[in-house]
Amino acid sequence: MLIDDLNNASLARPFETFGLQKNPEGQNGFFLRTWLPGAISVDVKSIDGKKKLGTMARVEEDGLFELNFPNADKEFNYLFDVQYQDSKIQVIDPYQFRNEAYAGLSTMRNEAANLYRTMGAQLVEIEVEGVKIKGVRFAVYAPSASNVSVIGDFNFWDGRRHPMQRSLMGEWVLFVPGLGEGERYKYELKDPFGNRLPHKADPVGFYAEQYPSFASVVYDQTRYKWNDAAWVESQKNDKLKQAISIYELHFASWKRHENGDSLSYREMADELIPYVKEMGYTHIELLPIMEHPFSGSWGYQPVGLFSPTSRFGTADDFKYFVDQCHQNGIGVILDWVPAHFPSDSHGLARFDGTPLYEYEDPRRGWHPDWNSYIYDFGRDTVRQFLVASALVWLDYYHVDGLRVDAVASMLYWDYSRKAGEWVPNVDGGNHNYEAISLLRWFNEEVYKNYPQCMTIAEESTAFAGVSRPTYTGGLGFGFKWNMGWMHDTIEYMKKDPIYRKYHHSEMTFSMIYAYDENFILSISHDEVVHGKLSMLYKMPGDEWQQAANLRAYMGYMYAHPGKKLNFMGTEFAQTAEWNHDSQLQWWLLQFDKHKGQKKLIQDLNAMYKSEPALYNADYDKSGFMWLDHSDYQNSIFALMRRDANGENPIIVVSNFTPTTHEQYRLGVPTTGKYKVILNTDSKYYWGSDYDLGGLEFEASDVSWHGQYHSIVLNLPPLATVFIKRIGD
């Protein structure tokens, strides 16, 4: 019976039951039916409220009302005056708006971006019979659900009151007049067998509450007015030839209030932006800012891929933060996680009672490393969902780039799995062709629609062509983190200097493959957690030697081809491992050692941005030359960088032992005067300020290091020195 279906929230096609329906064949006109639990009486009025059209008959005590209009020759719009026990309200019946509920669904499938412009909770305004009606159009994809209702404060979280209509393609839709921004809502779904599922947050929701409700919130994406047009225009350049120095940070633990609370988006705009400008970074990179239920995941277990987390404020507040970054010349990169998602009951897991977003086979659909689900990269609806979730950040939130986390885990079926725990591809191999195809499409969509932005892969294997165009068979990323360089060089630096000569190649090996990809040299958050020690305490020796080693290493990093990334805290030599539950050790900056490290990073960034030789030929073999990579006995490395025109060389020499070297001869390309432009051993950085034999040197005609000319200087201990030709 109908009343049983209504009371059990089991009505799948309410448009065929509610609203105006044609009278049975042989009868003229229409009849009107509505379901208003708890109502005593219902009057029908014209949509402008000026004319009473009749009083409905209550045909069921539970709230089912009907009224016949035998003389009506066409459908018309209307509203209800509803009398309850202690109140009277006016209601515009959502079930008269069939076409409005379906609006946009046909175009959604034509372009990924249409998904976030159509699905979820969209604020709309319609006009009928001269009356403008504002409301929210809800649309959620749940093809295997037997019933779906939208629930919220507006209907007492009662799944009986607003059943949604199922489309032929599996979306459930309903336009609810009278709702606006700020309304809390979720979806109540029943699985294919009619079993009620845990209430689900909106997969395409733009804003959400925190624990315990995890409710989605209707949000107006059009309200915020941006002021970053000049920045966006300035970014239409070749990123490969741009100076990019990235400050990676975790929003909640960069700095906190005295009571331990995190700073808000707007407070971070006030605090972080001046600091990043002072330090000279070109970009910040945020660990995932997308909504996630567990803070201890650092954001890498997201459930709201379309919404900035409400931990730090509203979505408009996040837009303000990005806008302020741009107005101050700072780019914003976000970590984006399509590799896996958590099993929280309000999220995507078994969304409609079936594996809608995840692979069904746990050998493909469950991540042993993170105890989380894996997206079904071969399903078209999932692919649309993921690419849309990437594009929304470039579109609505104006971010400048996306770093894709855990790409290696997507590329290989046997990633972190033993024999028998994975299923080969159709060719019997371990490559996930579906994930490869998705990543290529993602990159094509980003660069087609937002060519001023960049994509970055965290990919830890030797998979070929990660940062090569898709038309050549590559994955299409703009950049790739150089995990090999990071691992090798840190392992080298951890060695006592007396043993480094046996590991000399660990510092040079990266140049063998340096031009295989567009690399970013990354010292990320993963290197300072889980017992790996801080960057300072990875270094051997006493207090001074630890700091000197770190300074020399940072100098070597800025000399090496590739864009730069450092995690927060390294810039002032934090002593503790990163702890996501507390702020950085800002108190260390009262000590000269940490002030010195901070000053060094400022000066390295300033030099890096001012010397094109250090960045605009990063991916051109002509931009780099070893002067001496074989002096393993002394652990000395000498190299030369040139700009894209093969000019303006910068000579760099690193000494990774505490031993000084008097009268060290260094090859240079031409005659003239050469000047030290940065020395990590300077007293300004808490170095020994060892006498180099001057700050300017005249080149002689003595050939050295494969060059026709050379200069002679004293090499300081545990230091990297940058030298530039300044004239004849």
PDB file of all heavy atoms in Angstrom, residues 231-258:
ATOM      1  N   TRP A 231      47.393  38.194 -10.677  1.00  0.00           N
ATOM      2  CA  TRP A 231      48.213  37.001 -10.400  1.00  0.00           C
ATOM      3  C   TRP A 231      47.970  35.910 -11.434  1.00  0.00           C
ATOM      4  O   TRP A 231      48.900  35.326 -11.978  1.00  0.00           O
ATOM      5  CB  TRP A 231      47.913  36.470  -9.003  1.00  0.00           C
ATOM      6  CG  TRP A 231      48.454  35.082  -8.796  1.00  0.00           C
ATOM      7  CD1 TRP A 231      47.780  33.909  -8.944  1.00  0.00           C
ATOM      8  CD2 TRP A 231      49.799  34.725  -8.454  1.00  0.00           C
ATOM      9  NE1 TRP A 231      48.610  32.832  -8.701  1.00  0.00           N
ATOM     10  CE2 TRP A 231      49.857  33.321  -8.405  1.00  0.00           C
ATOM     11  CE3 TRP A 231      50.948  35.455  -8.182  1.00  0.00           C
ATOM     12  CZ2 TRP A 231      51.021  32.630  -8.088  1.00  0.00           C
ATOM     13  CZ3 TRP A 231      52.116  34.774  -7.866  1.00  0.00           C
ATOM     14  CH2 TRP A 231      52.140  33.377  -7.821  1.00  0.00           C
ATOM     15  N   VAL A 232      46.693  35.624 -11.704  1.00  0.00           N
ATOM     16  CA  VAL A 232      46.363  34.567 -12.656  1.00  0.00           C
ATOM     17  C   VAL A 232      46.984  34.869 -14.012  1.00  0.00           C
ATOM     18  O   VAL A 232      47.559  33.984 -14.666  1.00  0.00           O
ATOM     19  CB  VAL A 232      44.837  34.405 -12.771  1.00  0.00           C
ATOM     20  CG1 VAL A 232      44.475  33.427 -13.883  1.00  0.00           C
ATOM     21  CG2 VAL A 232      44.256  33.939 -11.436  1.00  0.00           C
ATOM     22  N   GLU A 233      46.917  36.117 -14.436  1.00  0.00           N
ATOM     23  CA  GLU A 233      47.507  36.498 -15.716  1.00  0.00           C
ATOM     24  C   GLU A 233      49.019  36.321 -15.709  1.00  0.00           C
ATOM     25  O   GLU A 233      49.611  35.874 -16.699  1.00  0.00           O
ATOM     26  CB  GLU A 233      47.150  37.956 -16.038  1.00  0.00           C
ATOM     27  CG  GLU A 233      47.604  38.429 -17.397  1.00  0.00           C
ATOM     28  CD  GLU A 233      46.929  37.697 -18.546  1.00  0.00           C
ATOM     29  OE1 GLU A 233      45.775  37.242 -18.361  1.00  0.00           O
ATOM     30  OE2 GLU A 233      47.551  37.591 -19.626  1.00  0.00           O
ATOM     31  N   SER A 234      49.639  36.627 -14.578  1.00  0.00           N
ATOM     32  CA  SER A 234      51.105  36.527 -14.487  1.00  0.00           C
ATOM     33  C   SER A 234      51.599  35.092 -14.532  1.00  0.00           C
ATOM     34  O   SER A 234      52.781  34.842 -14.788  1.00  0.00           O
ATOM     35  CB  SER A 234      51.594  37.183 -13.190  1.00  0.00           C
ATOM     36  OG  SER A 234      51.300  36.368 -12.057  1.00  0.00           O
ATOM     37  N   GLN A 235      50.720  34.135 -14.282  1.00  0.00           N
ATOM     38  CA  GLN A 235      51.137  32.735 -14.232  1.00  0.00           C
ATOM     39  C   GLN A 235      51.046  32.029 -15.578  1.00  0.00           C
ATOM     40  O   GLN A 235      51.330  30.824 -15.675  1.00  0.00           O
ATOM     41  CB  GLN A 235      50.279  31.990 -13.200  1.00  0.00           C
ATOM     42  CG  GLN A 235      50.519  32.440 -11.781  1.00  0.00           C
ATOM     43  CD  GLN A 235      51.999  32.376 -11.413  1.00  0.00           C
ATOM     44  OE1 GLN A 235      52.588  31.302 -11.339  1.00  0.00           O
ATOM     45  NE2 GLN A 235      52.597  33.534 -11.190  1.00  0.00           N
ATOM     46  N   LYS A 236      50.694  32.764 -16.618  1.00  0.00           N
ATOM     47  CA  LYS A 236      50.626  32.157 -17.942  1.00  0.00           C
ATOM     48  C   LYS A 236      52.013  32.140 -18.569  1.00  0.00           C
ATOM     49  O   LYS A 236      52.288  32.811 -19.561  1.00  0.00           O
ATOM     50  CB  LYS A 236      49.617  32.920 -18.805  1.00  0.00           C
ATOM     51  CG  LYS A 236      48.194  32.819 -18.272  1.00  0.00           C
ATOM     52  CD  LYS A 236      47.205  33.629 -19.093  1.00  0.00           C
ATOM     53  CE  LYS A 236      45.788  33.505 -18.528  1.00  0.00           C
ATOM     54  NZ  LYS A 236      44.798  34.308 -19.294  1.00  0.00           N
ATOM     55  N   ASN A 237      52.891  31.372 -17.936  1.00  0.00           N
ATOM     56  CA  ASN A 237      54.274  31.279 -18.392  1.00  0.00           C
ATOM     57  C   ASN A 237      54.721  29.820 -18.337  1.00  0.00           C
ATOM     58  O   ASN A 237      53.975  28.947 -17.910  1.00  0.00           O
ATOM     59  CB  ASN A 237      55.191  32.166 -17.532  1.00  0.00           C
ATOM     60  CG  ASN A 237      55.028  31.892 -16.045  1.00  0.00           C
ATOM     61  OD1 ASN A 237      54.488  30.861 -15.634  1.00  0.00           O
ATOM     62  ND2 ASN A 237      55.478  32.818 -15.224  1.00  0.00           N
ATOM     63  N   ASP A 238      55.932  29.597 -18.778  1.00  0.00           N
ATOM     64  CA  ASP A 238      56.474  28.247 -18.802  1.00  0.00           C
ATOM     65  C   ASP A 238      57.007  27.899 -17.424  1.00  0.00           C
ATOM     66  O   ASP A 238      58.037  28.414 -17.000  1.00  0.00           O
ATOM     67  CB  ASP A 238      57.580  28.157 -19.857  1.00  0.00           C
ATOM     68  CG  ASP A 238      58.098  26.740 -20.038  1.00  0.00           C
ATOM     69  OD1 ASP A 238      57.717  25.852 -19.252  1.00  0.00           O
ATOM     70  OD2 ASP A 238      58.899  26.520 -20.974  1.00  0.00           O
ATOM     71  N   LYS A 239      56.302  27.019 -16.722  1.00  0.00           N
ATOM     72  CA  LYS A 239      56.712  26.674 -15.360  1.00  0.00           C
ATOM     73  C   LYS A 239      58.081  25.996 -15.331  1.00  0.00           C
ATOM     74  O   LYS A 239      58.798  26.092 -14.337  1.00  0.00           O
ATOM     75  CB  LYS A 239      55.668  25.743 -14.718  1.00  0.00           C
ATOM     76  CG  LYS A 239      54.314  26.386 -14.533  1.00  0.00           C
ATOM     77  CD  LYS A 239      54.369  27.533 -13.536  1.00  0.00           C
ATOM     78  CE  LYS A 239      52.993  28.101 -13.225  1.00  0.00           C
ATOM     79  NZ  LYS A 239      52.345  28.729 -14.374  1.00  0.00           N
ATOM     80  N   LEU A 240      58.450  25.330 -16.410  1.00  0.00           N
ATOM     81  CA  LEU A 240      59.745  24.656 -16.428  1.00  0.00           C
ATOM     82  C   LEU A 240      60.896  25.651 -16.346  1.00  0.00           C
ATOM     83  O   LEU A 240      61.980  25.322 -15.871  1.00  0.00           O
ATOM     84  CB  LEU A 240      59.886  23.801 -17.690  1.00  0.00           C
ATOM     85  CG  LEU A 240      58.874  22.681 -17.875  1.00  0.00           C
ATOM     86  CD1 LEU A 240      59.173  21.906 -19.143  1.00  0.00           C
ATOM     87  CD2 LEU A 240      58.854  21.743 -16.675  1.00  0.00           C
ATOM     88  N   LYS A 241      60.640  26.882 -16.793  1.00  0.00           N
ATOM     89  CA  LYS A 241      61.689  27.899 -16.796  1.00  0.00           C
ATOM     90  C   LYS A 241      61.500  28.921 -15.681  1.00  0.00           C
ATOM     91  O   LYS A 241      62.159  29.950 -15.649  1.00  0.00           O
ATOM     92  CB  LYS A 241      61.725  28.605 -18.146  1.00  0.00           C
ATOM     93  CG  LYS A 241      62.121  27.676 -19.290  1.00  0.00           C
ATOM     94  CD  LYS A 241      62.228  28.411 -20.609  1.00  0.00           C
ATOM     95  CE  LYS A 241      62.690  27.471 -21.718  1.00  0.00           C
ATOM     96  NZ  LYS A 241      62.800  28.159 -23.025  1.00  0.00           N
ATOM     97  N   GLN A 242      60.619  28.623 -14.758  1.00  0.00           N
ATOM     98  CA  GLN A 242      60.303  29.536 -13.662  1.00  0.00           C
ATOM     99  C   GLN A 242      61.020  29.102 -12.394  1.00  0.00           C
ATOM    100  O   GLN A 242      61.261  27.914 -12.169  1.00  0.00           O
ATOM    101  CB  GLN A 242      58.789  29.531 -13.426  1.00  0.00           C
ATOM    102  CG  GLN A 242      58.293  30.470 -12.352  1.00  0.00           C
ATOM    103  CD  GLN A 242      56.768  30.443 -12.235  1.00  0.00           C
ATOM    104  OE1 GLN A 242      56.069  30.168 -13.202  1.00  0.00           O
ATOM    105  NE2 GLN A 242      56.269  30.701 -11.034  1.00  0.00           N
ATOM    106  N   ALA A 243      61.378  30.059 -11.569  1.00  0.00           N
ATOM    107  CA  ALA A 243      61.919  29.743 -10.243  1.00  0.00           C
ATOM    108  C   ALA A 243      60.773  29.296  -9.355  1.00  0.00           C
ATOM    109  O   ALA A 243      59.826  30.046  -9.129  1.00  0.00           O
ATOM    110  CB  ALA A 243      62.612  30.964  -9.644  1.00  0.00           C
ATOM    111  N   ILE A 244      60.858  28.078  -8.863  1.00  0.00           N
ATOM    112  CA  ILE A 244      59.806  27.525  -8.005  1.00  0.00           C
ATOM    113  C   ILE A 244      60.464  26.973  -6.746  1.00  0.00           C
ATOM    114  O   ILE A 244      61.217  26.003  -6.801  1.00  0.00           O
ATOM    115  CB  ILE A 244      59.006  26.428  -8.712  1.00  0.00           C
ATOM    116  CG1 ILE A 244      58.253  27.007  -9.924  1.00  0.00           C
ATOM    117  CG2 ILE A 244      58.028  25.770  -7.752  1.00  0.00           C
ATOM    118  CD1 ILE A 244      57.463  25.986 -10.708  1.00  0.00           C
ATOM    119  N   SER A 245      60.197  27.628  -5.639  1.00  0.00           N
ATOM    120  CA  SER A 245      60.693  27.187  -4.332  1.00  0.00           C
ATOM    121  C   SER A 245      59.482  27.049  -3.420  1.00  0.00           C
ATOM    122  O   SER A 245      58.823  28.039  -3.087  1.00  0.00           O
ATOM    123  CB  SER A 245      61.689  28.191  -3.752  1.00  0.00           C
ATOM    124  OG  SER A 245      62.146  27.769  -2.490  1.00  0.00           O
ATOM    125  N   ILE A 246      59.174  25.819  -3.017  1.00  0.00           N
ATOM    126  CA  ILE A 246      57.904  25.491  -2.370  1.00  0.00           C
ATOM    127  C   ILE A 246      58.100  25.265  -0.876  1.00  0.00           C
ATOM    128  O   ILE A 246      59.010  24.537  -0.463  1.00  0.00           O
ATOM    129  CB  ILE A 246      57.294  24.227  -3.006  1.00  0.00           C
ATOM    130  CG1 ILE A 246      57.111  24.420  -4.512  1.00  0.00           C
ATOM    131  CG2 ILE A 246      55.971  23.877  -2.345  1.00  0.00           C
ATOM    132  CD1 ILE A 246      56.790  23.136  -5.267  1.00  0.00           C
ATOM    133  N   TYR A 247      57.241  25.869  -0.102  1.00  0.00           N
ATOM    134  CA  TYR A 247      57.201  25.682   1.351  1.00  0.00           C
ATOM    135  C   TYR A 247      56.027  24.761   1.645  1.00  0.00           C
ATOM    136  O   TYR A 247      54.863  25.163   1.567  1.00  0.00           O
ATOM    137  CB  TYR A 247      57.026  27.033   2.037  1.00  0.00           C
ATOM    138  CG  TYR A 247      57.110  27.017   3.549  1.00  0.00           C
ATOM    139  CD1 TYR A 247      58.244  26.543   4.214  1.00  0.00           C
ATOM    140  CD2 TYR A 247      56.064  27.520   4.322  1.00  0.00           C
ATOM    141  CE1 TYR A 247      58.328  26.567   5.596  1.00  0.00           C
ATOM    142  CE2 TYR A 247      56.138  27.553   5.711  1.00  0.00           C
ATOM    143  CZ  TYR A 247      57.270  27.070   6.343  1.00  0.00           C
ATOM    144  OH  TYR A 247      57.361  27.102   7.724  1.00  0.00           O
ATOM    145  N   GLU A 248      56.316  23.516   1.971  1.00  0.00           N
ATOM    146  CA  GLU A 248      55.261  22.543   2.262  1.00  0.00           C
ATOM    147  C   GLU A 248      54.860  22.658   3.730  1.00  0.00           C
ATOM    148  O   GLU A 248      55.725  22.735   4.603  1.00  0.00           O
ATOM    149  CB  GLU A 248      55.754  21.127   1.962  1.00  0.00           C
ATOM    150  CG  GLU A 248      54.655  20.080   2.105  1.00  0.00           C
ATOM    151  CD  GLU A 248      55.178  18.652   2.130  1.00  0.00           C
ATOM    152  OE1 GLU A 248      56.299  18.428   2.631  1.00  0.00           O
ATOM    153  OE2 GLU A 248      54.457  17.757   1.667  1.00  0.00           O
ATOM    154  N   LEU A 249      53.557  22.652   3.989  1.00  0.00           N
ATOM    155  CA  LEU A 249      53.121  22.797   5.370  1.00  0.00           C
ATOM    156  C   LEU A 249      51.823  22.073   5.644  1.00  0.00           C
ATOM    157  O   LEU A 249      51.017  21.843   4.745  1.00  0.00           O
ATOM    158  CB  LEU A 249      52.975  24.276   5.751  1.00  0.00           C
ATOM    159  CG  LEU A 249      51.835  25.053   5.090  1.00  0.00           C
ATOM    160  CD1 LEU A 249      51.020  25.786   6.139  1.00  0.00           C
ATOM    161  CD2 LEU A 249      52.385  26.039   4.069  1.00  0.00           C
ATOM    162  N   HIS A 250      51.681  21.722   6.899  1.00  0.00           N
ATOM    163  CA  HIS A 250      50.436  21.148   7.418  1.00  0.00           C
ATOM    164  C   HIS A 250      49.709  22.275   8.132  1.00  0.00           C
ATOM    165  O   HIS A 250      50.223  22.863   9.085  1.00  0.00           O
ATOM    166  CB  HIS A 250      50.768  20.008   8.384  1.00  0.00           C
ATOM    167  CG  HIS A 250      49.575  19.395   9.032  1.00  0.00           C
ATOM    168  ND1 HIS A 250      49.330  19.511  10.391  1.00  0.00           N
ATOM    169  CD2 HIS A 250      48.557  18.646   8.532  1.00  0.00           C
ATOM    170  CE1 HIS A 250      48.225  18.861  10.689  1.00  0.00           C
ATOM    171  NE2 HIS A 250      47.731  18.329   9.585  1.00  0.00           N
ATOM    172  N   PHE A 251      48.500  22.575   7.652  1.00  0.00           N
ATOM    173  CA  PHE A 251      47.802  23.782   8.084  1.00  0.00           C
ATOM    174  C   PHE A 251      47.626  23.831   9.597  1.00  0.00           C
ATOM    175  O   PHE A 251      47.818  24.875  10.233  1.00  0.00           O
ATOM    176  CB  PHE A 251      46.440  23.849   7.394  1.00  0.00           C
ATOM    177  CG  PHE A 251      45.946  25.240   7.156  1.00  0.00           C
ATOM    178  CD1 PHE A 251      46.179  25.882   5.952  1.00  0.00           C
ATOM    179  CD2 PHE A 251      45.240  25.914   8.142  1.00  0.00           C
ATOM    180  CE1 PHE A 251      45.732  27.166   5.725  1.00  0.00           C
ATOM    181  CE2 PHE A 251      44.773  27.199   7.930  1.00  0.00           C
ATOM    182  CZ  PHE A 251      45.027  27.837   6.708  1.00  0.00           C
ATOM    183  N   ALA A 252      47.273  22.698  10.196  1.00  0.00           N
ATOM    184  CA  ALA A 252      46.896  22.699  11.609  1.00  0.00           C
ATOM    185  C   ALA A 252      48.078  22.815  12.547  1.00  0.00           C
ATOM    186  O   ALA A 252      47.898  23.159  13.729  1.00  0.00           O
ATOM    187  CB  ALA A 252      46.112  21.432  11.939  1.00  0.00           C
ATOM    188  N   SER A 253      49.291  22.529  12.081  1.00  0.00           N
ATOM    189  CA  SER A 253      50.417  22.464  13.010  1.00  0.00           C
ATOM    190  C   SER A 253      51.548  23.425  12.670  1.00  0.00           C
ATOM    191  O   SER A 253      52.632  23.316  13.236  1.00  0.00           O
ATOM    192  CB  SER A 253      50.960  21.029  13.070  1.00  0.00           C
ATOM    193  OG  SER A 253      51.373  20.582  11.802  1.00  0.00           O
ATOM    194  N   TRP A 254      51.311  24.336  11.760  1.00  0.00           N
ATOM    195  CA  TRP A 254      52.354  25.332  11.472  1.00  0.00           C
ATOM    196  C   TRP A 254      52.511  26.263  12.687  1.00  0.00           C
ATOM    197  O   TRP A 254      53.595  26.432  13.215  1.00  0.00           O
ATOM    198  CB  TRP A 254      51.997  26.124  10.209  1.00  0.00           C
ATOM    199  CG  TRP A 254      53.031  27.154   9.857  1.00  0.00           C
ATOM    200  CD1 TRP A 254      54.265  26.908   9.320  1.00  0.00           C
ATOM    201  CD2 TRP A 254      52.938  28.562  10.020  1.00  0.00           C
ATOM    202  NE1 TRP A 254      54.947  28.098   9.144  1.00  0.00           N
ATOM    203  CE2 TRP A 254      54.148  29.126   9.570  1.00  0.00           C
ATOM    204  CE3 TRP A 254      51.950  29.412  10.520  1.00  0.00           C
ATOM    205  CZ2 TRP A 254      54.394  30.505   9.592  1.00  0.00           C
ATOM    206  CZ3 TRP A 254      52.182  30.773  10.537  1.00  0.00           C
ATOM    207  CH2 TRP A 254      53.397  31.306  10.079  1.00  0.00           C
ATOM    208  N   LYS A 255      51.424  26.838  13.093  1.00  0.00           N
ATOM    209  CA  LYS A 255      51.436  27.698  14.287  1.00  0.00           C
ATOM    210  C   LYS A 255      50.074  27.581  14.947  1.00  0.00           C
ATOM    211  O   LYS A 255      49.051  27.435  14.279  1.00  0.00           O
ATOM    212  CB  LYS A 255      51.741  29.154  13.927  1.00  0.00           C
ATOM    213  CG  LYS A 255      51.885  30.074  15.124  1.00  0.00           C
ATOM    214  CD  LYS A 255      52.214  31.507  14.687  1.00  0.00           C
ATOM    215  CE  LYS A 255      53.659  31.620  14.213  1.00  0.00           C
ATOM    216  NZ  LYS A 255      54.052  33.038  13.970  1.00  0.00           N
ATOM    217  N   ARG A 256      50.061  27.681  16.307  1.00  0.00           N
ATOM    218  CA  ARG A 256      48.817  27.543  17.044  1.00  0.00           C
ATOM    219  C   ARG A 256      48.656  28.671  18.058  1.00  0.00           C
ATOM    220  O   ARG A 256      49.619  29.341  18.411  1.00  0.00           O
ATOM    221  CB  ARG A 256      48.752  26.188  17.752  1.00  0.00           C
ATOM    222  CG  ARG A 256      48.742  25.009  16.788  1.00  0.00           C
ATOM    223  CD  ARG A 256      48.324  23.720  17.461  1.00  0.00           C
ATOM    224  NE  ARG A 256      48.058  22.669  16.485  1.00  0.00           N
ATOM    225  CZ  ARG A 256      47.319  21.606  16.713  1.00  0.00           C
ATOM    226  NH1 ARG A 256      46.758  21.430  17.900  1.00  0.00           N
ATOM    227  NH2 ARG A 256      47.125  20.699  15.779  1.00  0.00           N
ATOM    228  N   HIS A 257      47.421  28.821  18.539  1.00  0.00           N
ATOM    229  CA  HIS A 257      47.158  29.753  19.629  1.00  0.00           C
ATOM    230  C   HIS A 257      47.740  29.182  20.928  1.00  0.00           C
ATOM    231  O   HIS A 257      48.069  27.998  21.022  1.00  0.00           O
ATOM    232  CB  HIS A 257      45.654  29.970  19.790  1.00  0.00           C
ATOM    233  CG  HIS A 257      45.027  30.711  18.644  1.00  0.00           C
ATOM    234  ND1 HIS A 257      45.265  32.046  18.397  1.00  0.00           N
ATOM    235  CD2 HIS A 257      44.164  30.293  17.680  1.00  0.00           C
ATOM    236  CE1 HIS A 257      44.576  32.429  17.342  1.00  0.00           C
ATOM    237  NE2 HIS A 257      43.896  31.386  16.890  1.00  0.00           N
ATOM    238  N   GLU A 258      47.847  30.015  21.920  1.00  0.00           N
ATOM    239  CA  GLU A 258      48.412  29.585  23.204  1.00  0.00           C
ATOM    240  C   GLU A 258      47.619  28.447  23.826  1.00  0.00           C
ATOM    241  O   GLU A 258      48.169  27.604  24.531  1.00  0.00           O
ATOM    242  CB  GLU A 258      48.484  30.767  24.165  1.00  0.00           C
ATOM    243  CG  GLU A 258      49.546  31.797  23.786  1.00  0.00           C
ATOM    244  CD  GLU A 258      49.686  32.889  24.822  1.00  0.00           C
ATOM    245  OE1 GLU A 258      48.994  32.794  25.866  1.00  0.00           O
ATOM    246  OE2 GLU A 258      50.474  33.831  24.613  1.00  0.00           O
TER     247      GLU A 258
END
